[in-house]
Amino acid sequence: MPQYEAGTFDVIVVGAGHAGAEAALASARMGAKTLVLTMNLDMIAFMPCNPSIGGPAKGIVVREIDAMGGAMGRVIDKTHIQMRMLNTAKGPAVRALRAQADKVLYQQEMKRLMEEQENLSLHQGIAEELIVEDGEVKGLITQVGGIYRAETVVITTGTFLRGEIIIGDLRYSSGPNHQQPSIKLAENLEQLGFETVRFKTGTPPRINSNSIDYSKTEIQPGDDVPRAFSFETTEFIMDQMPCWLTYTTSETHQIIDENLHLSPMYSGMAKGTGPRYCPSIEDKIVRFSDKPRHQIFLEPEGRSTREVYVQGLSTSLPEHVQRKLLESIPGLEKADMMRSGYAIEYDAIVPTQLWPTLESKQLTNLYTAGQINGTSGYEEAAGQGLMAGINAAAKVLGKEEVILSRSDAYIGVLIDDLVTKGTSEPYRLLTSRAEYRLLLRHDNADLRLTELGYQLGMITEERYARFLEKKDHIEDEIKRLRGIIIKPNEQTQEAIRNAGGSELKDGIRAADLLKRPEMNYDMIASLTESDIALSDEVKEQVEIHVKYEGYIEKSLQQVDKLKKMENKKIPENIDYDAISGLATEARGKLKEVQPLSIAQATRISGVNPADISILLVYIEQGRIAKV
Amino acid sequence: MMEFDTIAAISTPSGEGAIAIVRLSGPEAVAIANRLFRAPGSKALADQASHTIHYGHIEDPATKEIAEEVMVALMRAPKTFTREDVVEINCHGGIVSVNRVLSLALRAGARLAEPGEFTKRAFLNGRIDLSQAEAVMDLIRAKTDRAMDVALTQMEGRLSRLISSLRQALLESIAQMEVNIDYPEYDDVEEMTRPMMLEKAQWVQSEIAKLLQTSQQGKILREGLSTVIIGRPNVGKSSLLNSLVQENKAIVTEIAGTTRDIIEEYVNVRGVPLRLVDTAGIRETEDIVERIGVERSRKVLKEADLILYVLNYAEKLTEEDLLLFEAVRDMNYIVVINKTDLPQQIDLDQVKELTSDTRLVTTSLIEEEGIDQLEEAIAELFFEGEIEAGDMTYVSNVRHISLLHQAHQTISDAISAAEMDVPVDMIQIDVTRTWEILGEIIGDTADDGLLNQLFSQFCLGK
């Protein structure tokens, strides 16, 4: 096949899913000349599974992406059909937003953003081979012989690498939603020495809304107050569409029992490792046989379509069994199935082959992000995409690399888990994975990360000025409440009585009164005179900060210890074989992961405190020897 | 975490040396020692000059009880072994009191040193020659492995099982809470409420408290139950003493080197070691109160773990008897009504009323009657509750005790938060911490335990 020079860029991003889109936008916004190469320009930021974004932990990732200047939050704010704040009855640390997306609008909006982005080109094409010289990536070649050259390349191919769809006893080569799989690139990566694992995920059937009897289901509306992911959003969509809830029946369970031998998961057809948190309906019924019913959520896929996503019914049973399953569910007796559910197997690279910047250890200048790294979920993909894009561009632009700590962001937790521990199943973020979740809140994502986004050139001056003003307001108000003494006069006592608290005996600092469980910021504000009008976001920050000061303080102390360990760097050229006394298992793991700091080394399973001590002594020995 | 905190350990070989040293090293070393050290009349330890030595006492800051008479050497950085602030507490009282001093230091904020850690710090701070580095590494390896062996043998059996069951109970609650957080719309997972959390936390707290109590019992088993015999003159105190000593093998020790010339005798009563205090006094004058004065006797009584209060069967209760009843109230005591061989004069109903539910034994020491019942009563008192003689699982390892104290603190924090309407997921922070600390005791720090629990306990997913 004749080849031709198709162009030279600073950064090339292969793939334009949720990881690719963020990577490309970040790179371009930072000022690197960036190309996105995608198989199909109509599938940018496509949602092959749930038409929803956010949720616990994941929703906080979207806020973090936005705080650093990423796109996901802004796009979903413009294209959702419903938005809800979850866990409102719990503490501030675990609140999170979730939106139902209009799938088509979401794609269109993301595509428009990318098209309008300065420094960014969108080309359709299939990457088949990386150009590698002296262990460094220099560009890639497409299926039609186009040679694209670049300083760095980011691969975000999702589940396309050797993708195979499985339905019943059918198995065929395919990307998600029956698109072309990526086979040549998978072979190329294998040749280049990447170790891969075989993962599996699945999706449920879609049905026509007109064929649903909603009277047999329960309505699940969105919140009726304005909500937004992005700190930039000022217009809110209040015209929302509800979701609906129904349940499986004993008949559903019987159908599955009778047809279990046809399920690829049980017939041995499927070999990849599936995620435990996202089991198929057949899995749920086998593993939790004592449960009489399971929830099924009916989620509209958008305003311009009647397609409805049947959440809870992920399956790879043959199509005719899927139809029977639907008919056994109240409200879906006459359901018209438009697309069947399926399982998909794909190659993921073992993520311990990556540095915390998401750059490959064996192939310099190559970055990978998203499902190819063994994760699942749009938000996890987008978060990695953002960081890979930032680092790929930073390298070209001669800027410092950016690694988020576990105490900075959920994105930091996600990437550290991947590159330090690897994963034995498709990785999903859960709040329990974060040690400092009280610090990694939905509400303070901007306070944590906007400064960084601004330094990287991803936050506009105007937004940054607003951010600084908000920060000042919060600090000033906390200072004010700590200084003011509230006297036990009749007005105060009445307010406290009305709130159900016990009356004051003496004067009390406003901040201390706010700490009482029954008090909130507005009550305190009404008892203290102030002429500054504060925004709801500022009030929220002040309240959380004062009320949970003790807990926050404890977390900060732990973070302090973590930081000290993170500052103990491990030299790049360390020779673990030369360190006597390391346990064999620890030596192997250290060689594999190549941790950058002592903190990272302590998180590797199989490396125990004695090994860490020995490592410290060895590093110190080197330091002394050099002096 | 290492390198940045203050560490403590007993730095003399284990066994019964004349002097044992608790060494502290790190930025907080002086402050921690200062919290524990009392020297009457002189200025605070923290204000003393470097490289000086001071006489005084180590005191439990919580109870103000004196734990040990000590000499404290104060050495500030950098001219020290580790090049950090170092405090060395010289104790005289053998392994028991040294352990107690170490426990207090750990509770005051020090961390138990890892094996070889003082040497390691000395090296890291440039104190030790480069050529010694390899040796240090070998030392760390060897000592750690040995320490782990020792810890493992100690962890066998009941204690390990008990801690595992506490952890499992906590883990189930944590997993349930995590599911509530990560899958808020799943209606088939019961919502974890504050009262449920509180109930679980209180149960765990009481179990940890029980374990900590056994650490007290462990101490008693090593030291003996400090026992005082009291009663009016001529009720038979020395007869009781002699009976106990004759029945059981007595080891008479004279505490040397102190101004008190109290003689103590150790007897082993059905597995309970008793340290009979002031036996000399009883032998000479038969009356401890008379001999050492009212103030002293109060103090002796206060420090006693067990009081044997002897009454005369053949006499009516006197004013003095009633005063003694007053003095021993709220203490562990057994009433011994002696001289049942003589005609009864005492009003037994009145005695029963005064003793309420305390154990009461009647004896005739001359006729050698009632000794068995008395010994029975002593053993019962000690082994009351679930702890059975012969199957004593008690916590004795200082590291375990220190971790149990931490776990007790964090679970108590969780309880007070739960009582104060703090959101459940915040309470969980302390619950999770408790689970982690308990894990450190049994060496189980695998961090995928929670996720495994989550997915096996609940049916989740799209």
Side-chain angles (χ1 to χ4, degrees):
Chain A
M1 183 178 30
Q3 295 185 334
Y4 82 106
E5 290 291 334
T8 300
F9 295 84
D10 292 333
V11 177
I12 298 176
V13 178
V14 180
H18 303 282
E22 294 292 349
L25 283 167
S27 163
R29 286 186 97 163
M30 282 173 66
K33 189 184 172 203
T34 306
L35 168 76
V36 171
L37 192 67
T38 170
M39 280 181 174
N40 186 344
L41 277 171
D42 297 325
M43 300 303 276
I44 285 176
F46 178 66
M47 299 184 192
C49 206
N50 303 45
S52 95
I53 279 180
K58 290 161 169 272
I60 301 178
V61 168
V62 181
R63 295 277 278 184
E64 291 171 351
I65 292 170
D66 180 73
M68 283 190 279
M72 188 173 240
R74 280 179 290 150
V75 175
I76 186 65
D77 281 351
K78 281 193 180 167
T79 60
H80 65 270
I81 60 169
Q82 180 194 107
M83 210 181 278
R84 284 174 68 193
M85 183 68 92
L86 304 173
N87 289 333
T88 46
K90 301 192 178 81
V94 296
R95 279 171 215 154
L97 269 182
R98 187 175 57 212
Q100 295 299 134
D102 184 312
K103 267 169 80 163
V104 176
L105 277 185
Y106 187 90
Q107 282 186 267
Q108 287 172 351
E109 177 63 16
M110 188 64 86
K111 186 173 180 225
R112 189 189 63 78
L113 257 187
M114 292 171 77
E115 287 164 349
E116 285 177 5
Q117 177 63 50
E118 212 182 320
N119 295 328
L120 184 58
S121 299
L122 278 74
H123 291 188
Q124 187 162 292
I126 300 175
E128 291 204 330
E129 196 188 327
L130 293 171
I131 303 170
V132 179
E133 288 166 19
D134 303 329
E136 282 185 22
V137 168
K138 300 281 184 190
L140 54 81
I141 304 169
T142 66
Q143 90 283 15
V144 296
I147 299 172
Y148 286 97
R149 298 189 190 274
E151 306 267 324
T152 55
V153 174
V154 184
I155 298 188
T156 67
T157 49
T159 59
F160 283 76
L161 284 187
R162 270 199 277 249
E164 281 183 298
I165 282 185
I166 309 165
I167 307 173
D169 56 0
L170 276 178
R171 179 185 192 106
Y172 54 92
S173 188
S174 170
N177 203 31
H178 310 276
Q179 299 175 74
Q180 267 191 75
S182 183
I183 292 173
K184 288 265 175 68
L185 185 61
E187 287 167 0
N188 185 226
L189 288 174
E190 197 174 59
Q191 279 160 14
L192 289 167
F194 282 89
E195 194 190 328
T196 60
V197 284
R198 197 80 179 146
F199 279 168
K200 181 191 79 186
T201 184
T203 194
R206 317 299 203 265
I207 56 181
N208 190 316
S209 176
N210 294 341
S211 65
I212 299 173
D213 180 356
Y214 286 109
S215 69
K216 294 181 178 169
T217 66
E218 294 164 35
I219 191 164
Q220 304 263 298
D223 291 345
D224 52 11
V225 293
R227 303 272 191 211
F229 277 100
S230 174
F231 292 93
E232 285 182 20
T233 297
T234 49
E235 286 174 33
F236 304 89
I237 301 173
M238 297 308 292
D239 169 27
Q240 304 199 349
M241 292 174 77
C243 295
W244 307 83
L245 172 63
T246 180
Y247 295 90
T248 60
T249 60
S250 57
E251 201 191 328
T252 320
H253 298 202
Q254 200 186 331
I255 295 166
I256 287 172
D257 275 342
E258 285 165 5
N259 291 285
L260 207 56
H261 60 284
L262 299 174
S263 162
M265 307 300 165
Y266 291 91
S267 67
M269 272 287 286
K271 298 207 169 50
T273 310
R276 286 176 298 178
Y277 48 80
C278 189
S280 61
I281 186 72
E282 46 268 39
D283 243 356
K284 288 193 224 176
I285 281 162
V286 170
R287 285 180 49 214
F288 295 91
S289 56
D290 55 328
K291 281 197 59 167
R293 61 178 199 174
H294 296 270
Q295 285 169 307
I296 300 290
F297 293 92
L298 304 173
E299 304 178 357
E301 296 220 326
R303 292 178 200 273
S304 58
T305 175
R306 305 301 287 161
E307 239 179 305
V308 171
Y309 178 92
V310 187
Q311 203 231 95
L313 208 68
S314 176
T315 180
S316 53
L317 283 161
E319 205 172 83
H320 69 277
V321 182
Q322 293 191 26
R323 289 192 197 280
K324 269 201 229 164
L325 283 182
L326 288 169
E327 285 163 16
S328 71
I329 294 168
L332 307 186
E333 294 88 347
K334 302 210 163 83
D336 185 14
M337 185 170 83
M338 297 171 72
R339 303 181 206 220
S340 56
Y342 60 85
I344 182 165
E345 284 193 356
Y346 56 97
D347 281 358
I349 70 163
V350 174
T352 49
Q353 297 171 99
L354 304 172
W355 297 113
T357 55
L358 297 178
E359 185 176 5
S360 156
K361 285 173 187 164
Q362 59 252 59
L363 210 50
T364 307
N365 297 341
L366 181 73
Y367 296 75
T368 57
Q371 236 160 335
I372 187 177
N373 287 348
T375 59
S376 96
Y378 314 138
E379 304 81 357
E380 286 88 341
Q384 289 172 71
L386 179 77
M387 298 315 293
I390 288 172
N391 280 310
K395 191 154 190 185
V396 178
L397 302 169
K399 290 189 181 176
E400 234 175 272
E401 59 188 29
V402 181
I403 298 170
L404 296 177
S405 158
R406 298 181 76 87
S407 58
D408 292 334
Y410 269 95
I411 299 173
V413 173
L414 161 73
I415 294 176
D416 181 66
D417 276 348
L418 287 175
V419 304
T420 308
K421 296 176 182 159
T423 181
S424 56
E425 65 182 326
Y427 178 101
R428 176 195 162 150
L429 259 183
L430 295 162
T431 55
S432 57
R433 298 197 195 262
E435 298 86 342
Y436 315 106
R437 74 177 173 210
L438 184 55
L439 304 178
L440 308 184
R441 301 189 308 270
H442 161 92
D443 61 81
N444 70 354
D446 57 339
L447 296 169
R448 289 185 273 130
L449 298 165
T450 296
E451 185 67 48
L452 175 64
Y454 176 72
Q455 281 166 18
L456 291 169
M458 310 226 314
I459 298 288
T460 61
E461 290 294 341
E462 187 263 322
R463 178 172 168 182
Y464 186 60
R466 265 197 302 126
F467 163 74
L468 290 181
E469 189 190 46
K470 175 179 170 185
K471 225 172 114 179
D472 284 347
H473 281 169
I474 296 167
E475 280 164 19
D476 291 348
E477 183 62 1
I478 291 175
K479 210 180 284 171
R480 189 180 76 90
L481 293 185
R482 286 195 178 132
I484 287 188
I485 300 214
I486 295 184
K487 297 206 173 62
N489 58 32
E490 194 35 49
Q491 187 208 355
T492 311
Q493 305 291 34
E494 195 191 331
I496 293 173
R497 273 197 308 273
N498 290 343
S502 52
E503 294 189 1
L504 294 182
K505 291 195 184 68
D506 285 304
I508 184 171
R509 283 186 200 280
D512 290 331
L513 187 57
L514 179 51
K515 282 191 177 137
R516 290 192 176 185
E518 71 274 9
M519 302 305 284
N520 63 32
Y521 175 82
D522 284 333
M523 292 179 193
I524 301 295
S526 72
L527 296 174
T528 63
E529 271 178 45
S530 167
D531 46 6
I532 320 161
L534 296 172
S535 69
D536 288 345
E537 289 78 44
V538 170
K539 291 178 186 171
E540 184 187 24
Q541 285 309 308
V542 171
E543 183 170 316
I544 290 172
H545 215 91
V546 171
K547 258 190 178 322
Y548 303 112
E549 195 183 7
Y551 284 96
I552 291 173
E553 210 43 58
K554 257 196 232 176
S555 291
L556 286 174
Q557 282 168 11
Q558 287 181 329
V559 169
D560 206 43
K561 286 186 177 170
L562 172 80
K563 292 278 177 197
K564 282 176 176 160
M565 301 287 273
E566 279 179 348
N567 289 337
K568 291 230 169 237
K569 301 289 180 210
I570 298 176
E572 233 175 276
N573 52 0
I574 191 164
D575 178 5
Y576 290 106
D577 286 323
I579 308 176
S580 64
L582 281 180
T584 313
E585 187 193 0
R587 191 192 309 275
K589 286 287 180 67
L590 287 165
K591 279 163 81 172
E592 181 192 340
V593 175
Q594 300 179 55
L596 299 180
S597 68
I598 290 294
Q600 197 190 349
T602 58
R603 291 192 290 266
I604 301 172
S605 64
V607 176
N608 70 33
D611 298 309
I612 295 294
S613 294
I614 286 166
L615 192 56
L616 272 169
V617 169
Y618 181 84
I619 293 167
E620 200 61 25
Q621 182 184 2
R623 195 180 66 79
I624 293 170
K626 264 180 230 152
V627 170
Chain B
M1 296 290 155
M2 43 197 67
E3 310 312 312
F4 319 103
D5 43 9
T6 298
I7 52 173
I10 299 170
S11 61
T12 38
S14 61
E16 298 286 329
I19 290 177
I21 297 173
V22 173
R23 181 191 273 158
L24 290 150
S25 176
E28 292 287 307
V30 178
I32 290 169
N34 194 47
R35 254 168 254 159
L36 305 174
F37 183 67
R38 294 289 165 269
S42 71
K43 55 183 172 180
L45 189 65
D47 301 328
Q48 300 282 7
S50 186
H51 292 74
T52 52
I53 190 155
H54 308 274
Y55 167 80
H57 292 94
I58 293 295
E59 188 181 278
D60 184 338
T63 63
K64 304 287 171 209
E65 251 174 59
I66 287 175
E68 174 70 339
E69 195 176 350
V70 295
M71 297 291 285
V72 171
L74 177 74
M75 292 157 281
R76 293 184 203 276
K79 285 187 182 170
T80 68
F81 175 58
T82 56
R83 293 216 169 152
E84 300 173 328
D85 284 353
V86 169
V87 175
E88 290 182 350
I89 306 172
N90 294 258
C91 313
H92 310 120
I95 195 68
V96 174
S97 50
V98 177
N99 263 326
R100 199 186 304 166
V101 171
L102 177 59
S103 297
L104 290 173
L106 297 181
R107 246 187 286 168
R111 172 174 66 71
L112 191 66
E114 314 264 342
E117 199 171 0
F118 288 105
T119 318
K120 191 181 81 190
R121 286 190 178 199
F123 172 75
L124 290 181
N125 292 321
R127 177 75 165 66
I128 293 181
D129 183 70
L130 186 72
S131 62
Q132 286 173 272
E134 296 279 308
V136 174
M137 284 189 238
D138 289 347
L139 187 77
I140 291 168
R141 176 94 268 158
K143 281 204 182 181
T144 307
D145 292 346
R146 199 179 331 137
M148 267 165 69
D149 283 350
V150 172
L152 281 179
T153 35
Q154 282 192 333
M155 291 314 303
E156 275 175 356
R158 250 176 78 175
L159 180 58
S160 166
R161 282 201 299 278
L162 193 66
I163 300 236
S164 298
S165 73
L166 292 182
R167 291 192 83 219
Q168 184 58 29
L170 289 174
L171 188 60
E172 280 162 19
S173 296
I174 296 168
Q176 188 177 343
M177 250 178 300
E178 293 295 345
V179 170
N180 293 158
I181 291 165
D182 274 327
Y183 297 87
E185 67 284 278
Y186 274 68
D187 61 1
D188 43 88
V189 179
E190 197 184 355
E191 185 79 17
M192 188 64 162
T193 60
R194 235 178 257 117
M196 284 162 68
M197 181 85 132
L198 195 58
E199 194 184 329
K200 185 77 68 87
Q202 279 166 340
W203 175 71
V204 170
Q205 186 197 37
S206 75
E207 291 296 310
I208 294 175
K210 272 191 219 160
L211 270 176
L212 280 170
Q213 242 163 29
T214 72
S215 79
Q216 284 298 313
Q217 255 146 352
K219 182 196 98 183
I220 286 164
L221 281 186
R222 287 189 307 272
E223 287 185 66
L225 207 58
S226 159
T227 308
V228 178
I229 301 173
I230 60 164
R232 281 189 291 120
N234 272 324
V235 292
K237 292 193 294 289
S238 64
S239 309
L240 177 57
L241 175 67
N242 288 334
S243 300
L244 285 172
V245 171
Q246 276 159 20
E247 285 261 318
N248 308 283
K249 270 187 194 163
I251 317 141
V252 182
T253 53
E254 200 152 348
I255 299 179
T258 66
T259 51
R260 298 168 291 173
D261 82 64
I262 294 174
I263 292 181
E264 297 181 336
E265 298 188 41
Y266 283 85
V267 296
N268 190 314
V269 175
R270 308 201 172 181
V272 185
L274 300 190
R275 194 174 82 239
L276 295 162
V277 179
D278 206 50
T279 52
I282 292 171
R283 285 214 165 92
E284 279 163 26
T285 70
E286 257 249 321
D287 184 14
I288 184 172
V289 179
E290 186 182 291
R291 199 176 85 85
I292 61 179
V294 180
E295 275 312 300
R296 267 294 298 283
S297 64
R298 285 245 167 83
K299 191 162 174 290
V300 171
L301 286 181
K302 213 177 138 225
E303 285 173 1
D305 297 315
L306 173 66
I307 291 154
L308 300 177
Y309 177 20
V310 188
L311 292 172
N312 191 339
Y313 184 76
E315 287 175 17
K316 286 194 163 44
L317 286 180
T318 67
E319 199 59 26
E320 206 180 333
D321 288 327
L322 295 177
L323 276 176
L324 284 172
F325 264 115
E326 191 62 31
V328 297
R329 215 172 46 164
D330 301 330
M331 296 182 177
N332 280 325
Y333 68 98
I334 296 174
V335 173
V336 182
I337 305 180
N338 189 30
K339 305 196 181 179
T340 52
D341 45 298
L342 297 176
Q344 176 179 359
Q345 286 292 322
I346 198 165
D347 181 348
L348 273 178
D349 288 338
Q350 194 192 355
V351 175
K352 276 179 188 150
E353 203 175 297
L354 284 164
T355 56
S356 59
D357 53 357
T358 304
R359 286 173 177 78
L360 196 153
V361 181
T362 53
T363 60
S364 167
L365 293 167
I366 295 199
E367 312 253 313
E368 294 184 2
E369 274 168 21
I371 298 283
D372 274 357
Q373 285 87 331
L374 175 59
E375 293 191 356
E376 189 94 341
I378 293 171
E380 268 176 27
L381 190 71
F382 182 67
F383 291 122
E384 71 189 337
E386 295 138 29
I387 301 147
E388 293 152 29
D391 185 27
M392 281 293 290
T393 310
Y394 59 88
V395 190
S396 59
N397 180 309
V398 179
R399 189 180 76 89
H400 297 163
I401 295 172
S402 148
L403 286 167
L404 279 174
H405 274 294
Q406 286 176 35
H408 192 265
Q409 183 60 51
T410 52
I411 198 73
S412 303
D413 287 350
I415 289 169
S416 50
E419 286 166 347
M420 272 179 46
D421 278 1
V422 169
V424 172
D425 56 286
M426 308 280 258
I427 303 168
Q428 195 210 329
I429 295 175
D430 286 316
V431 175
T432 306
R433 187 73 197 120
T434 309
W435 177 72
E436 287 168 356
I437 294 169
L438 291 177
E440 281 178 47
I441 295 180
I442 57 171
D444 180 3
T445 50
D447 55 6
D448 51 0
L450 175 59
L451 292 185
N452 290 334
Q453 181 70 32
L454 209 70
F455 294 118
S456 57
Q457 192 176 344
F458 302 104
C459 176
L460 306 164
K462 61 186 173 185

